[in-house]
Amino acid sequence: MKYISTRGQAPALNFEQVLLTGLASDGGLYVPETLPKFSVEQIEAMRGMAYPELALEIIRPFVADCIPEDDLAQILQDTYAEFRHGAVAPLIQLAPNQWVMELFHGPTLAFKDFALQLLGRLLDYVLEREQRKVVIMGATSGDTGSAAIEGCRRCKNIDIFILHPHERVSEVQRRQMTTVVGDNIHNLAVEGNFDDCQAMVKASFNAQQFLPDGRSLVAVNSINWARIMAQIVYYFHAGLSLGAPSRKLAFSVPTGNFGDIFAGYLAREMGLPIEQLVIATNRNDVLHRIMTTATYGRQQLEQSLSPSMDITVSSNFERLLFDLYNRDGAAIADLMKRFDVGAVDIDDAAMATARTLFSSARVSDEETCARILETWRSSEYLLDPHTAIGVEAALSAQPEGDVAMVTLATAHPAKFPAAVKQAGVDVEPPLPQHLADLFQREERFTVLPNELDTVQRFIAENSNA
Ligand SMILES: *Cc1c(COP(=O)(O)O)cnc(C)c1O
């Protein structure tokens, strides 16, 4: 399988190259040149498979020329053995035709484990084969950092440096990063805000000479194709459990960077009968504004009760735009160049196609709290604030007829106890057993000034894998 850039100018890459890259050299994002398609019979044959077996069916075509099937099967077995639920991604019914799919049974209690547990293992596999070492550098305001650290903690060929804004991430989220023990794990608390951290990561990717021994940087945010690929699997898993391909499906996805929901779009393109994908945003509603006004523009970032969706630019939306513009890389390059300096209008034809597949909703903090409380009262089921946004959007968008609507439960409520409390639920969600002593564990992190040189020197001196 070949991968091509959304901006049409960068060289095509194979899976291994794409895995080890960040952005394409033309500033675009990599997507598969063609998608595998599954027939109704092929999808039916997947019913009843355990999660790692299903993952093998879905992922195999994307990596076939780089990883032998037996090795891939083993990697997938190891990856999903880390999850603490027999179904890996269990479905819970909340109401007639309403389900949530719990994607929070991995090590860090958020859906990002599905992709980052796999990414760490895939990276180590190809690096071991090539006798190569790389450096992971990422910025986090929350869930990505801990999931990336957990995903790479046993990797022999990777040093991982995660920058977080000093004293500006929640205690649970900080501790999930800083209590992981490993010589290759480096938590950097930068005396700045999240944007400062992200700017340093971006500058470092653009000029990598500071790294020792010819090492290079690998991206762990959702511009990395392998993350999206891993997320396609659970859409099939839910669909098969609920009776697809003979049953129609819809998914509501709490969205920030458009990575998770883009994986749902790909599942549909690959043959899963998805009627509708609901883009569920908080008040940082860049995607909802695109859907309602056809204009893609930035607004001021606002803090919400669902911090993992607090973004102003939705990077992966470019991957959808590429398809909406009939894969015209030059058109996307032009559009994104104009977007760098202001708002852009999306073509009528592109918007018409987008609206046949996607609907959207913006959910306020008040509505989020109300949904958490109502669901607790009616079902004694506790939603985290991100999932609550998804459920609220799902209820507002339920299609006509017999369509199974599945909301992706992207985080465990124990990660966001303050929001649960603010909603008026009078129980505190307990951390699962494996994290029960999180607040007693020893933390390890290095506070650094908000200076690119200092951060880069630290990375150069500590890349020892
Ligand atoms: C990262 C995250 C999201 C947003 O996912 P995207 O792929 O960026 O859309 C939603 N909920 C939680 C809990 C997250 O950690």
PDB file of all heavy atoms in Angstrom, residues 110-112 143 254-260 308-309 384 386 410-411, ligand 1:
ATOM      1  N   ALA A 110      -8.310   6.292  28.382  1.00  0.00           N
ATOM      2  CA  ALA A 110      -8.908   7.066  27.291  1.00  0.00           C
ATOM      3  C   ALA A 110      -8.713   6.302  25.979  1.00  0.00           C
ATOM      4  O   ALA A 110      -7.867   5.415  25.888  1.00  0.00           O
ATOM      5  CB  ALA A 110      -8.282   8.462  27.191  1.00  0.00           C
ATOM      6  N   PHE A 111      -9.482   6.672  24.976  1.00  0.00           N
ATOM      7  CA  PHE A 111      -9.458   5.900  23.721  1.00  0.00           C
ATOM      8  C   PHE A 111      -8.107   5.944  23.028  1.00  0.00           C
ATOM      9  O   PHE A 111      -7.810   5.103  22.185  1.00  0.00           O
ATOM     10  CB  PHE A 111     -10.560   6.392  22.770  1.00  0.00           C
ATOM     11  CG  PHE A 111     -10.168   7.612  21.968  1.00  0.00           C
ATOM     12  CD1 PHE A 111      -9.610   7.486  20.708  1.00  0.00           C
ATOM     13  CD2 PHE A 111     -10.333   8.886  22.481  1.00  0.00           C
ATOM     14  CE1 PHE A 111      -9.230   8.599  19.967  1.00  0.00           C
ATOM     15  CE2 PHE A 111      -9.956  10.004  21.756  1.00  0.00           C
ATOM     16  CZ  PHE A 111      -9.397   9.857  20.497  1.00  0.00           C
ATOM     17  N   LYS A 112      -7.288   6.920  23.381  1.00  0.00           N
ATOM     18  CA  LYS A 112      -5.995   7.051  22.696  1.00  0.00           C
ATOM     19  C   LYS A 112      -5.114   5.821  22.887  1.00  0.00           C
ATOM     20  O   LYS A 112      -4.222   5.568  22.082  1.00  0.00           O
ATOM     21  CB  LYS A 112      -5.292   8.321  23.142  1.00  0.00           C
ATOM     22  CG  LYS A 112      -6.022   9.568  22.643  1.00  0.00           C
ATOM     23  CD  LYS A 112      -5.290  10.851  22.960  1.00  0.00           C
ATOM     24  CE  LYS A 112      -5.951  12.061  22.314  1.00  0.00           C
ATOM     25  NZ  LYS A 112      -7.207  12.457  22.977  1.00  0.00           N
ATOM     26  N   ASP A 143      -4.493  13.986  27.567  1.00  0.00           N
ATOM     27  CA  ASP A 143      -4.529  12.531  27.378  1.00  0.00           C
ATOM     28  C   ASP A 143      -3.445  11.965  26.463  1.00  0.00           C
ATOM     29  O   ASP A 143      -3.023  10.831  26.632  1.00  0.00           O
ATOM     30  CB  ASP A 143      -5.889  12.128  26.809  1.00  0.00           C
ATOM     31  CG  ASP A 143      -7.014  12.389  27.792  1.00  0.00           C
ATOM     32  OD1 ASP A 143      -6.730  12.419  29.004  1.00  0.00           O
ATOM     33  OD2 ASP A 143      -8.156  12.550  27.353  1.00  0.00           O
ATOM     34  N   PRO A 254     -17.253  12.432  20.095  1.00  0.00           N
ATOM     35  CA  PRO A 254     -16.724  13.659  20.702  1.00  0.00           C
ATOM     36  C   PRO A 254     -15.394  14.011  20.029  1.00  0.00           C
ATOM     37  O   PRO A 254     -14.462  13.224  20.064  1.00  0.00           O
ATOM     38  CB  PRO A 254     -16.501  13.274  22.173  1.00  0.00           C
ATOM     39  CG  PRO A 254     -17.208  11.972  22.373  1.00  0.00           C
ATOM     40  CD  PRO A 254     -17.284  11.305  21.036  1.00  0.00           C
ATOM     41  N   THR A 255     -15.342  15.150  19.413  1.00  0.00           N
ATOM     42  CA  THR A 255     -14.259  15.432  18.478  1.00  0.00           C
ATOM     43  C   THR A 255     -13.450  16.652  18.846  1.00  0.00           C
ATOM     44  O   THR A 255     -13.995  17.665  19.286  1.00  0.00           O
ATOM     45  CB  THR A 255     -14.842  15.684  17.067  1.00  0.00           C
ATOM     46  OG1 THR A 255     -15.783  14.667  16.794  1.00  0.00           O
ATOM     47  CG2 THR A 255     -13.774  15.654  16.012  1.00  0.00           C
ATOM     48  N   GLY A 256     -12.137  16.572  18.625  1.00  0.00           N
ATOM     49  CA  GLY A 256     -11.257  17.719  18.754  1.00  0.00           C
ATOM     50  C   GLY A 256     -10.522  17.896  17.445  1.00  0.00           C
ATOM     51  O   GLY A 256     -10.848  18.736  16.618  1.00  0.00           O
ATOM     52  N   ASN A 257      -9.535  17.026  17.248  1.00  0.00           N
ATOM     53  CA  ASN A 257      -8.675  17.116  16.080  1.00  0.00           C
ATOM     54  C   ASN A 257      -9.208  16.345  14.877  1.00  0.00           C
ATOM     55  O   ASN A 257      -8.511  16.196  13.883  1.00  0.00           O
ATOM     56  CB  ASN A 257      -7.296  16.586  16.464  1.00  0.00           C
ATOM     57  CG  ASN A 257      -6.202  17.525  16.044  1.00  0.00           C
ATOM     58  OD1 ASN A 257      -6.426  18.418  15.233  1.00  0.00           O
ATOM     59  ND2 ASN A 257      -5.023  17.319  16.568  1.00  0.00           N
ATOM     60  N   PHE A 258     -10.407  15.830  14.950  1.00  0.00           N
ATOM     61  CA  PHE A 258     -11.079  15.115  13.854  1.00  0.00           C
ATOM     62  C   PHE A 258     -10.407  13.785  13.520  1.00  0.00           C
ATOM     63  O   PHE A 258     -10.653  13.189  12.477  1.00  0.00           O
ATOM     64  CB  PHE A 258     -11.144  16.002  12.584  1.00  0.00           C
ATOM     65  CG  PHE A 258     -12.285  15.651  11.655  1.00  0.00           C
ATOM     66  CD1 PHE A 258     -13.579  15.975  11.980  1.00  0.00           C
ATOM     67  CD2 PHE A 258     -12.055  14.999  10.451  1.00  0.00           C
ATOM     68  CE1 PHE A 258     -14.637  15.657  11.128  1.00  0.00           C
ATOM     69  CE2 PHE A 258     -13.099  14.670   9.585  1.00  0.00           C
ATOM     70  CZ  PHE A 258     -14.395  15.008   9.934  1.00  0.00           C
ATOM     71  N   GLY A 259      -9.563  13.258  14.434  1.00  0.00           N
ATOM     72  CA  GLY A 259      -8.883  12.004  14.140  1.00  0.00           C
ATOM     73  C   GLY A 259      -9.816  10.817  14.297  1.00  0.00           C
ATOM     74  O   GLY A 259      -9.970   9.982  13.397  1.00  0.00           O
ATOM     75  N   ASP A 260     -10.450  10.757  15.457  1.00  0.00           N
ATOM     76  CA  ASP A 260     -11.303   9.622  15.790  1.00  0.00           C
ATOM     77  C   ASP A 260     -12.468   9.501  14.811  1.00  0.00           C
ATOM     78  O   ASP A 260     -12.763   8.427  14.283  1.00  0.00           O
ATOM     79  CB  ASP A 260     -11.826   9.847  17.218  1.00  0.00           C
ATOM     80  CG  ASP A 260     -12.136   8.546  17.926  1.00  0.00           C
ATOM     81  OD1 ASP A 260     -11.891   7.480  17.339  1.00  0.00           O
ATOM     82  OD2 ASP A 260     -12.629   8.617  19.068  1.00  0.00           O
ATOM     83  N   SER A 308      -9.907  17.771  26.566  1.00  0.00           N
ATOM     84  CA  SER A 308      -9.249  17.068  25.468  1.00  0.00           C
ATOM     85  C   SER A 308      -9.843  17.435  24.117  1.00  0.00           C
ATOM     86  O   SER A 308      -9.375  16.975  23.081  1.00  0.00           O
ATOM     87  CB  SER A 308      -9.335  15.558  25.687  1.00  0.00           C
ATOM     88  OG  SER A 308      -8.729  15.227  26.903  1.00  0.00           O
ATOM     89  N   MET A 309     -10.898  18.233  24.117  1.00  0.00           N
ATOM     90  CA  MET A 309     -11.486  18.709  22.867  1.00  0.00           C
ATOM     91  C   MET A 309     -11.353  20.223  22.735  1.00  0.00           C
ATOM     92  O   MET A 309     -11.989  20.826  21.867  1.00  0.00           O
ATOM     93  CB  MET A 309     -12.975  18.329  22.815  1.00  0.00           C
ATOM     94  CG  MET A 309     -13.174  16.825  22.679  1.00  0.00           C
ATOM     95  SD  MET A 309     -14.749  16.277  23.338  1.00  0.00           S
ATOM     96  CE  MET A 309     -15.884  17.157  22.305  1.00  0.00           C
ATOM     97  N   ASP A 384     -18.220  10.458  31.379  1.00  0.00           N
ATOM     98  CA  ASP A 384     -17.209  11.508  31.523  1.00  0.00           C
ATOM     99  C   ASP A 384     -17.683  12.700  30.676  1.00  0.00           C
ATOM    100  O   ASP A 384     -18.578  12.542  29.831  1.00  0.00           O
ATOM    101  CB  ASP A 384     -15.828  10.978  31.075  1.00  0.00           C
ATOM    102  CG  ASP A 384     -15.466  11.453  29.687  1.00  0.00           C
ATOM    103  OD1 ASP A 384     -16.072  10.936  28.733  1.00  0.00           O
ATOM    104  OD2 ASP A 384     -14.634  12.362  29.564  1.00  0.00           O
ATOM    105  N   HIS A 386     -16.507  14.313  28.114  1.00  0.00           N
ATOM    106  CA  HIS A 386     -16.383  14.196  26.660  1.00  0.00           C
ATOM    107  C   HIS A 386     -17.476  13.285  26.099  1.00  0.00           C
ATOM    108  O   HIS A 386     -18.138  13.604  25.111  1.00  0.00           O
ATOM    109  CB  HIS A 386     -14.996  13.645  26.280  1.00  0.00           C
ATOM    110  CG  HIS A 386     -13.868  14.441  26.853  1.00  0.00           C
ATOM    111  ND1 HIS A 386     -13.448  14.291  28.160  1.00  0.00           N
ATOM    112  CD2 HIS A 386     -13.092  15.414  26.322  1.00  0.00           C
ATOM    113  CE1 HIS A 386     -12.459  15.133  28.386  1.00  0.00           C
ATOM    114  NE2 HIS A 386     -12.227  15.830  27.296  1.00  0.00           N
ATOM    115  N   THR A 410     -15.060   8.180  25.154  1.00  0.00           N
ATOM    116  CA  THR A 410     -13.634   8.383  24.905  1.00  0.00           C
ATOM    117  C   THR A 410     -12.781   8.401  26.167  1.00  0.00           C
ATOM    118  O   THR A 410     -11.574   8.265  26.079  1.00  0.00           O
ATOM    119  CB  THR A 410     -13.396   9.675  24.100  1.00  0.00           C
ATOM    120  OG1 THR A 410     -14.066  10.750  24.748  1.00  0.00           O
ATOM    121  CG2 THR A 410     -13.924   9.540  22.683  1.00  0.00           C
ATOM    122  N   ALA A 411     -13.385   8.594  27.330  1.00  0.00           N
ATOM    123  CA  ALA A 411     -12.590   8.593  28.567  1.00  0.00           C
ATOM    124  C   ALA A 411     -13.415   8.038  29.725  1.00  0.00           C
ATOM    125  O   ALA A 411     -14.648   8.083  29.725  1.00  0.00           O
ATOM    126  CB  ALA A 411     -12.099   9.994  28.905  1.00  0.00           C
TER     127      ALA A 411
HETATM  128  C1  LIG B   1      -8.231  13.191  22.319  1.00  0.00           C
HETATM  129  C2  LIG B   1      -9.607  13.093  22.904  1.00  0.00           C
HETATM  130  C3  LIG B   1     -10.747  13.461  22.157  1.00  0.00           C
HETATM  131  C4  LIG B   1     -10.660  14.043  20.769  1.00  0.00           C
HETATM  132  O1  LIG B   1     -10.191  13.117  19.826  1.00  0.00           O
HETATM  133  P1  LIG B   1      -9.844  13.580  18.335  1.00  0.00           P
HETATM  134  O2  LIG B   1      -9.315  12.364  17.652  1.00  0.00           O
HETATM  135  O3  LIG B   1      -8.804  14.646  18.466  1.00  0.00           O
HETATM  136  O4  LIG B   1     -11.080  14.075  17.728  1.00  0.00           O
HETATM  137  C5  LIG B   1     -11.985  13.284  22.738  1.00  0.00           C
HETATM  138  N1  LIG B   1     -12.120  12.800  23.996  1.00  0.00           N
HETATM  139  C6  LIG B   1     -11.043  12.450  24.745  1.00  0.00           C
HETATM  140  C7  LIG B   1     -11.251  11.931  26.126  1.00  0.00           C
HETATM  141  C8  LIG B   1      -9.751  12.569  24.218  1.00  0.00           C
HETATM  142  O5  LIG B   1      -8.692  12.213  24.964  1.00  0.00           O
END
